[in-house]
Amino acid sequence: MAIRSIRTMGDEVLTKECKPVKEMTEHTAELIEDMFETMYEANGVGLAAPQVGIRKQIVVIDVDDGNQYVLINPEIVETEGSQTGSEGCLSVPGKTGVVTRPEKVKVKALNEKMEEFELEGEGLLARAICHECDHLKGQLYVSLVEGKLEDVMMEEVEE
């Protein structure tokens, strides 16, 4: 496993649509492991493949609920309610912004064994699923911010 460089706003790869994963290869399995390691090293709760420079539809999420989620070729199929709150992104370091997202989402995806499954999430998990799926479409959360981006104090980031 290796920690990969996280691409930041302004990098062209973050504005491109990602390609579906057709099969699980050794390279793709290694990418998923690296994505988790990179996300944990950066104190994130989610990471999408384009954030490490790979234009594949792969997302990893860990919102500290005891589960690690791998979503390959994810598609949000249902949303319910809304939540408005502060959001940040590893690709937009040192900034946060207020974004409204669904309170609950249902996503259809493939797991690491390329088996289809559905995941329902609410609260932070729903927010993370939406945020990371946006990355796969070449969209950063900054385009959804209500108001303006705010600077984050380093003490806040470390908590």
Side-chain angles (χ1 to χ4, degrees):
M1 294 193 343
I3 294 172
R4 298 190 181 212
S5 295
I6 296 175
R7 306 295 181 93
T8 55
M9 192 164 72
D11 191 313
E12 195 175 291
V13 74
L14 296 173
T15 65
K16 305 267 189 210
E17 209 158 309
C18 294
K19 298 174 178 140
V21 176
K22 294 181 172 41
E23 64 178 335
M24 182 55 60
T25 64
E26 191 175 310
H27 179 72
T28 301
E30 184 180 303
L31 169 64
I32 291 167
E33 286 183 24
D34 289 355
M35 287 173 64
F36 272 114
E37 189 171 344
T38 302
M39 178 186 75
Y40 291 134
E41 178 70 19
N43 296 317
V45 298
L47 190 69
Q51 292 181 275
V52 292
I54 308 294
R55 287 182 53 204
K56 288 185 176 181
Q57 292 183 14
I58 302 172
V59 165
V60 299
I61 296 172
D62 186 339
V63 293
D64 208 20
D65 65 356
N67 297 298
Q68 288 184 320
Y69 302 101
V70 175
L71 307 175
I72 299 170
N73 304 338
E75 177 188 351
I76 294 173
V77 293
E78 216 172 282
T79 64
E80 184 182 319
S82 71
Q83 59 172 312
T84 301
S86 185
E87 201 164 303
C89 180
L90 297 176
S91 292
V92 188
K95 301 285 185 184
T96 63
V98 174
V99 177
T100 298
R101 301 272 190 191
E103 176 60 32
K104 294 181 182 179
V105 298
K106 182 188 286 186
V107 64
K108 186 171 68 173
L110 301 174
N111 63 19
E112 305 95 314
K113 296 176 184 166
M114 299 302 281
E115 300 165 335
E116 190 172 298
F117 73 101
E118 283 189 350
L119 172 64
E120 292 185 33
E122 58 183 88
L124 180 57
L125 180 56
R127 179 177 292 280
I129 291 168
C130 293
H131 179 110
E132 300 309 331
C133 285
D134 282 352
H135 274 298
L136 304 181
K137 296 180 249 170
Q139 181 179 18
L140 289 174
Y141 86 104
V142 295
S143 65
L144 303 173
V145 168
E146 300 163 20
K148 60 182 182 144
L149 285 177
E150 301 289 338
D151 290 330
V152 177
M153 302 299 289
M154 285 313 288
E155 297 84 44
E156 293 175 33
V157 174
E158 292 171 2
E159 289 180 338

mmCIF file with all atom_site columns, all heavy atoms in Angstrom, residues 2-18:
data_model
loop_
_atom_site.group_PDB
_atom_site.id
_atom_site.type_symbol
_atom_site.label_atom_id
_atom_site.label_alt_id
_atom_site.label_comp_id
_atom_site.label_asym_id
_atom_site.label_entity_id
_atom_site.label_seq_id
_atom_site.pdbx_PDB_ins_code
_atom_site.Cartn_x
_atom_site.Cartn_y
_atom_site.Cartn_z
_atom_site.occupancy
_atom_site.B_iso_or_equiv
_atom_site.pdbx_formal_charge
_atom_site.auth_seq_id
_atom_site.auth_comp_id
_atom_site.auth_asym_id
_atom_site.auth_atom_id
_atom_site.pdbx_PDB_model_num
ATOM 1   N N   . ALA A 1 2  ? 0.301   2.299  -0.559  1.00 0.00 ? 2  ALA A N   1
ATOM 2   C CA  . ALA A 1 2  ? 1.070   3.535  -0.662  1.00 0.00 ? 2  ALA A CA  1
ATOM 3   C C   . ALA A 1 2  ? 0.145   4.732  -0.504  1.00 0.00 ? 2  ALA A C   1
ATOM 4   O O   . ALA A 1 2  ? -1.026  4.675  -0.857  1.00 0.00 ? 2  ALA A O   1
ATOM 5   C CB  . ALA A 1 2  ? 1.773   3.602  -2.014  1.00 0.00 ? 2  ALA A CB  1
ATOM 6   N N   . ILE A 1 3  ? 0.708   5.790  0.032   1.00 0.00 ? 3  ILE A N   1
ATOM 7   C CA  . ILE A 1 3  ? -0.037  7.042  0.117   1.00 0.00 ? 3  ILE A CA  1
ATOM 8   C C   . ILE A 1 3  ? 0.185   7.783  -1.193  1.00 0.00 ? 3  ILE A C   1
ATOM 9   O O   . ILE A 1 3  ? 1.319   7.966  -1.628  1.00 0.00 ? 3  ILE A O   1
ATOM 10  C CB  . ILE A 1 3  ? 0.430   7.873  1.328   1.00 0.00 ? 3  ILE A CB  1
ATOM 11  C CG1 . ILE A 1 3  ? 0.065   7.116  2.604   1.00 0.00 ? 3  ILE A CG1 1
ATOM 12  C CG2 . ILE A 1 3  ? -0.184  9.258  1.302   1.00 0.00 ? 3  ILE A CG2 1
ATOM 13  C CD1 . ILE A 1 3  ? 0.614   7.719  3.857   1.00 0.00 ? 3  ILE A CD1 1
ATOM 14  N N   . ARG A 1 4  ? -0.913  8.164  -1.812  1.00 0.00 ? 4  ARG A N   1
ATOM 15  C CA  . ARG A 1 4  ? -0.840  8.864  -3.090  1.00 0.00 ? 4  ARG A CA  1
ATOM 16  C C   . ARG A 1 4  ? -1.031  10.357 -2.892  1.00 0.00 ? 4  ARG A C   1
ATOM 17  O O   . ARG A 1 4  ? -1.600  10.803 -1.890  1.00 0.00 ? 4  ARG A O   1
ATOM 18  C CB  . ARG A 1 4  ? -1.904  8.313  -4.039  1.00 0.00 ? 4  ARG A CB  1
ATOM 19  C CG  . ARG A 1 4  ? -1.692  6.836  -4.335  1.00 0.00 ? 4  ARG A CG  1
ATOM 20  C CD  . ARG A 1 4  ? -2.587  6.369  -5.429  1.00 0.00 ? 4  ARG A CD  1
ATOM 21  N NE  . ARG A 1 4  ? -2.384  4.939  -5.692  1.00 0.00 ? 4  ARG A NE  1
ATOM 22  C CZ  . ARG A 1 4  ? -2.514  4.396  -6.880  1.00 0.00 ? 4  ARG A CZ  1
ATOM 23  N NH1 . ARG A 1 4  ? -2.830  5.129  -7.930  1.00 0.00 ? 4  ARG A NH1 1
ATOM 24  N NH2 . ARG A 1 4  ? -2.346  3.097  -7.033  1.00 0.00 ? 4  ARG A NH2 1
ATOM 25  N N   . SER A 1 5  ? -0.586  11.130 -3.860  1.00 0.00 ? 5  SER A N   1
ATOM 26  C CA  . SER A 1 5  ? -0.761  12.586 -3.820  1.00 0.00 ? 5  SER A CA  1
ATOM 27  C C   . SER A 1 5  ? -2.217  12.923 -4.111  1.00 0.00 ? 5  SER A C   1
ATOM 28  O O   . SER A 1 5  ? -2.807  12.387 -5.054  1.00 0.00 ? 5  SER A O   1
ATOM 29  C CB  . SER A 1 5  ? 0.113   13.260 -4.877  1.00 0.00 ? 5  SER A CB  1
ATOM 30  O OG  . SER A 1 5  ? 1.468   13.062 -4.576  1.00 0.00 ? 5  SER A OG  1
ATOM 31  N N   . ILE A 1 6  ? -2.754  13.808 -3.298  1.00 0.00 ? 6  ILE A N   1
ATOM 32  C CA  . ILE A 1 6  ? -4.131  14.250 -3.502  1.00 0.00 ? 6  ILE A CA  1
ATOM 33  C C   . ILE A 1 6  ? -4.113  15.464 -4.415  1.00 0.00 ? 6  ILE A C   1
ATOM 34  O O   . ILE A 1 6  ? -3.430  16.456 -4.138  1.00 0.00 ? 6  ILE A O   1
ATOM 35  C CB  . ILE A 1 6  ? -4.818  14.578 -2.161  1.00 0.00 ? 6  ILE A CB  1
ATOM 36  C CG1 . ILE A 1 6  ? -4.918  13.301 -1.316  1.00 0.00 ? 6  ILE A CG1 1
ATOM 37  C CG2 . ILE A 1 6  ? -6.199  15.193 -2.400  1.00 0.00 ? 6  ILE A CG2 1
ATOM 38  C CD1 . ILE A 1 6  ? -5.463  13.515 0.081   1.00 0.00 ? 6  ILE A CD1 1
ATOM 39  N N   . ARG A 1 7  ? -4.860  15.370 -5.500  1.00 0.00 ? 7  ARG A N   1
ATOM 40  C CA  . ARG A 1 7  ? -4.963  16.475 -6.447  1.00 0.00 ? 7  ARG A CA  1
ATOM 41  C C   . ARG A 1 7  ? -5.838  17.566 -5.845  1.00 0.00 ? 7  ARG A C   1
ATOM 42  O O   . ARG A 1 7  ? -6.809  17.276 -5.151  1.00 0.00 ? 7  ARG A O   1
ATOM 43  C CB  . ARG A 1 7  ? -5.573  15.997 -7.773  1.00 0.00 ? 7  ARG A CB  1
ATOM 44  C CG  . ARG A 1 7  ? -4.846  14.815 -8.405  1.00 0.00 ? 7  ARG A CG  1
ATOM 45  C CD  . ARG A 1 7  ? -3.422  15.184 -8.834  1.00 0.00 ? 7  ARG A CD  1
ATOM 46  N NE  . ARG A 1 7  ? -2.747  14.073 -9.461  1.00 0.00 ? 7  ARG A NE  1
ATOM 47  C CZ  . ARG A 1 7  ? -2.725  13.847 -10.773 1.00 0.00 ? 7  ARG A CZ  1
ATOM 48  N NH1 . ARG A 1 7  ? -3.344  14.645 -11.606 1.00 0.00 ? 7  ARG A NH1 1
ATOM 49  N NH2 . ARG A 1 7  ? -2.070  12.805 -11.254 1.00 0.00 ? 7  ARG A NH2 1
ATOM 50  N N   . THR A 1 8  ? -5.476  18.807 -6.117  1.00 0.00 ? 8  THR A N   1
ATOM 51  C CA  . THR A 1 8  ? -6.231  19.916 -5.544  1.00 0.00 ? 8  THR A CA  1
ATOM 52  C C   . THR A 1 8  ? -6.908  20.745 -6.629  1.00 0.00 ? 8  THR A C   1
ATOM 53  O O   . THR A 1 8  ? -6.580  20.641 -7.813  1.00 0.00 ? 8  THR A O   1
ATOM 54  C CB  . THR A 1 8  ? -5.317  20.819 -4.684  1.00 0.00 ? 8  THR A CB  1
ATOM 55  O OG1 . THR A 1 8  ? -4.220  21.252 -5.472  1.00 0.00 ? 8  THR A OG1 1
ATOM 56  C CG2 . THR A 1 8  ? -4.805  20.075 -3.456  1.00 0.00 ? 8  THR A CG2 1
ATOM 57  N N   . MET A 1 9  ? -7.860  21.569 -6.179  1.00 0.00 ? 9  MET A N   1
ATOM 58  C CA  . MET A 1 9  ? -8.656  22.394 -7.080  1.00 0.00 ? 9  MET A CA  1
ATOM 59  C C   . MET A 1 9  ? -7.743  23.115 -8.056  1.00 0.00 ? 9  MET A C   1
ATOM 60  O O   . MET A 1 9  ? -6.719  23.675 -7.662  1.00 0.00 ? 9  MET A O   1
ATOM 61  C CB  . MET A 1 9  ? -9.480  23.409 -6.269  1.00 0.00 ? 9  MET A CB  1
ATOM 62  C CG  . MET A 1 9  ? -10.534 24.100 -7.086  1.00 0.00 ? 9  MET A CG  1
ATOM 63  S SD  . MET A 1 9  ? -11.784 24.929 -6.077  1.00 0.00 ? 9  MET A SD  1
ATOM 64  C CE  . MET A 1 9  ? -10.879 26.304 -5.434  1.00 0.00 ? 9  MET A CE  1
ATOM 65  N N   . GLY A 1 10 ? -8.115  23.082 -9.329  1.00 0.00 ? 10 GLY A N   1
ATOM 66  C CA  . GLY A 1 10 ? -7.294  23.655 -10.378 1.00 0.00 ? 10 GLY A CA  1
ATOM 67  C C   . GLY A 1 10 ? -6.674  22.558 -11.234 1.00 0.00 ? 10 GLY A C   1
ATOM 68  O O   . GLY A 1 10 ? -6.311  22.791 -12.375 1.00 0.00 ? 10 GLY A O   1
ATOM 69  N N   . ASP A 1 11 ? -6.574  21.340 -10.674 1.00 0.00 ? 11 ASP A N   1
ATOM 70  C CA  . ASP A 1 11 ? -6.065  20.197 -11.425 1.00 0.00 ? 11 ASP A CA  1
ATOM 71  C C   . ASP A 1 11 ? -7.171  19.728 -12.369 1.00 0.00 ? 11 ASP A C   1
ATOM 72  O O   . ASP A 1 11 ? -8.300  19.466 -11.948 1.00 0.00 ? 11 ASP A O   1
ATOM 73  C CB  . ASP A 1 11 ? -5.657  19.064 -10.473 1.00 0.00 ? 11 ASP A CB  1
ATOM 74  C CG  . ASP A 1 11 ? -4.883  17.967 -11.166 1.00 0.00 ? 11 ASP A CG  1
ATOM 75  O OD1 . ASP A 1 11 ? -5.317  17.516 -12.247 1.00 0.00 ? 11 ASP A OD1 1
ATOM 76  O OD2 . ASP A 1 11 ? -3.845  17.547 -10.624 1.00 0.00 ? 11 ASP A OD2 1
ATOM 77  N N   . GLU A 1 12 ? -6.835  19.616 -13.633 1.00 0.00 ? 12 GLU A N   1
ATOM 78  C CA  . GLU A 1 12 ? -7.815  19.278 -14.669 1.00 0.00 ? 12 GLU A CA  1
ATOM 79  C C   . GLU A 1 12 ? -8.519  17.944 -14.418 1.00 0.00 ? 12 GLU A C   1
ATOM 80  O O   . GLU A 1 12 ? -9.694  17.783 -14.759 1.00 0.00 ? 12 GLU A O   1
ATOM 81  C CB  . GLU A 1 12 ? -7.094  19.245 -16.030 1.00 0.00 ? 12 GLU A CB  1
ATOM 82  C CG  . GLU A 1 12 ? -8.037  19.264 -17.199 1.00 0.00 ? 12 GLU A CG  1
ATOM 83  C CD  . GLU A 1 12 ? -7.280  19.362 -18.516 1.00 0.00 ? 12 GLU A CD  1
ATOM 84  O OE1 . GLU A 1 12 ? -6.685  20.413 -18.780 1.00 0.00 ? 12 GLU A OE1 1
ATOM 85  O OE2 . GLU A 1 12 ? -7.301  18.368 -19.259 1.00 0.00 ? 12 GLU A OE2 1
ATOM 86  N N   . VAL A 1 13 ? -7.844  16.971 -13.813 1.00 0.00 ? 13 VAL A N   1
ATOM 87  C CA  . VAL A 1 13 ? -8.456  15.653 -13.602 1.00 0.00 ? 13 VAL A CA  1
ATOM 88  C C   . VAL A 1 13 ? -9.714  15.751 -12.730 1.00 0.00 ? 13 VAL A C   1
ATOM 89  O O   . VAL A 1 13 ? -10.633 14.942 -12.866 1.00 0.00 ? 13 VAL A O   1
ATOM 90  C CB  . VAL A 1 13 ? -7.447  14.632 -13.013 1.00 0.00 ? 13 VAL A CB  1
ATOM 91  C CG1 . VAL A 1 13 ? -7.164  14.903 -11.548 1.00 0.00 ? 13 VAL A CG1 1
ATOM 92  C CG2 . VAL A 1 13 ? -7.928  13.200 -13.207 1.00 0.00 ? 13 VAL A CG2 1
ATOM 93  N N   . LEU A 1 14 ? -9.796  16.759 -11.881 1.00 0.00 ? 14 LEU A N   1
ATOM 94  C CA  . LEU A 1 14 ? -10.951 16.927 -10.999 1.00 0.00 ? 14 LEU A CA  1
ATOM 95  C C   . LEU A 1 14 ? -12.183 17.459 -11.730 1.00 0.00 ? 14 LEU A C   1
ATOM 96  O O   . LEU A 1 14 ? -13.278 17.466 -11.162 1.00 0.00 ? 14 LEU A O   1
ATOM 97  C CB  . LEU A 1 14 ? -10.604 17.854 -9.833  1.00 0.00 ? 14 LEU A CB  1
ATOM 98  C CG  . LEU A 1 14 ? -9.527  17.342 -8.881  1.00 0.00 ? 14 LEU A CG  1
ATOM 99  C CD1 . LEU A 1 14 ? -9.144  18.418 -7.880  1.00 0.00 ? 14 LEU A CD1 1
ATOM 100 C CD2 . LEU A 1 14 ? -9.969  16.070 -8.172  1.00 0.00 ? 14 LEU A CD2 1
ATOM 101 N N   . THR A 1 15 ? -12.012 17.902 -12.975 1.00 0.00 ? 15 THR A N   1
ATOM 102 C CA  . THR A 1 15 ? -13.137 18.451 -13.744 1.00 0.00 ? 15 THR A CA  1
ATOM 103 C C   . THR A 1 15 ? -13.635 17.475 -14.804 1.00 0.00 ? 15 THR A C   1
ATOM 104 O O   . THR A 1 15 ? -14.548 17.798 -15.551 1.00 0.00 ? 15 THR A O   1
ATOM 105 C CB  . THR A 1 15 ? -12.732 19.767 -14.431 1.00 0.00 ? 15 THR A CB  1
ATOM 106 O OG1 . THR A 1 15 ? -11.719 19.491 -15.411 1.00 0.00 ? 15 THR A OG1 1
ATOM 107 C CG2 . THR A 1 15 ? -12.215 20.780 -13.426 1.00 0.00 ? 15 THR A CG2 1
ATOM 108 N N   . LYS A 1 16 ? -13.053 16.315 -14.882 1.00 0.00 ? 16 LYS A N   1
ATOM 109 C CA  . LYS A 1 16 ? -13.392 15.340 -15.924 1.00 0.00 ? 16 LYS A CA  1
ATOM 110 C C   . LYS A 1 16 ? -14.334 14.263 -15.375 1.00 0.00 ? 16 LYS A C   1
ATOM 111 O O   . LYS A 1 16 ? -14.239 13.874 -14.218 1.00 0.00 ? 16 LYS A O   1
ATOM 112 C CB  . LYS A 1 16 ? -12.128 14.646 -16.439 1.00 0.00 ? 16 LYS A CB  1
ATOM 113 C CG  . LYS A 1 16 ? -11.067 15.594 -16.935 1.00 0.00 ? 16 LYS A CG  1
ATOM 114 C CD  . LYS A 1 16 ? -11.205 15.801 -18.398 1.00 0.00 ? 16 LYS A CD  1
ATOM 115 C CE  . LYS A 1 16 ? -10.009 16.577 -18.917 1.00 0.00 ? 16 LYS A CE  1
ATOM 116 N NZ  . LYS A 1 16 ? -10.308 17.385 -20.035 1.00 0.00 ? 16 LYS A NZ  1
ATOM 117 N N   . GLU A 1 17 ? -15.196 13.767 -16.256 1.00 0.00 ? 17 GLU A N   1
ATOM 118 C CA  . GLU A 1 17 ? -16.056 12.650 -15.884 1.00 0.00 ? 17 GLU A CA  1
ATOM 119 C C   . GLU A 1 17 ? -15.225 11.367 -15.855 1.00 0.00 ? 17 GLU A C   1
ATOM 120 O O   . GLU A 1 17 ? -14.322 11.178 -16.668 1.00 0.00 ? 17 GLU A O   1
ATOM 121 C CB  . GLU A 1 17 ? -17.199 12.519 -16.893 1.00 0.00 ? 17 GLU A CB  1
ATOM 122 C CG  . GLU A 1 17 ? -18.408 11.925 -16.250 1.00 0.00 ? 17 GLU A CG  1
ATOM 123 C CD  . GLU A 1 17 ? -19.692 12.240 -16.982 1.00 0.00 ? 17 GLU A CD  1
ATOM 124 O OE1 . GLU A 1 17 ? -19.947 13.425 -17.272 1.00 0.00 ? 17 GLU A OE1 1
ATOM 125 O OE2 . GLU A 1 17 ? -20.414 11.283 -17.234 1.00 0.00 ? 17 GLU A OE2 1
ATOM 126 N N   . CYS A 1 18 ? -15.525 10.495 -14.903 1.00 0.00 ? 18 CYS A N   1
ATOM 127 C CA  . CYS A 1 18 ? -14.763 9.260  -14.745 1.00 0.00 ? 18 CYS A CA  1
ATOM 128 C C   . CYS A 1 18 ? -15.396 8.109  -15.520 1.00 0.00 ? 18 CYS A C   1
ATOM 129 O O   . CYS A 1 18 ? -16.592 8.111  -15.798 1.00 0.00 ? 18 CYS A O   1
ATOM 130 C CB  . CYS A 1 18 ? -14.668 8.905  -13.266 1.00 0.00 ? 18 CYS A CB  1
ATOM 131 S SG  . CYS A 1 18 ? -13.703 10.107 -12.343 1.00 0.00 ? 18 CYS A SG  1
#
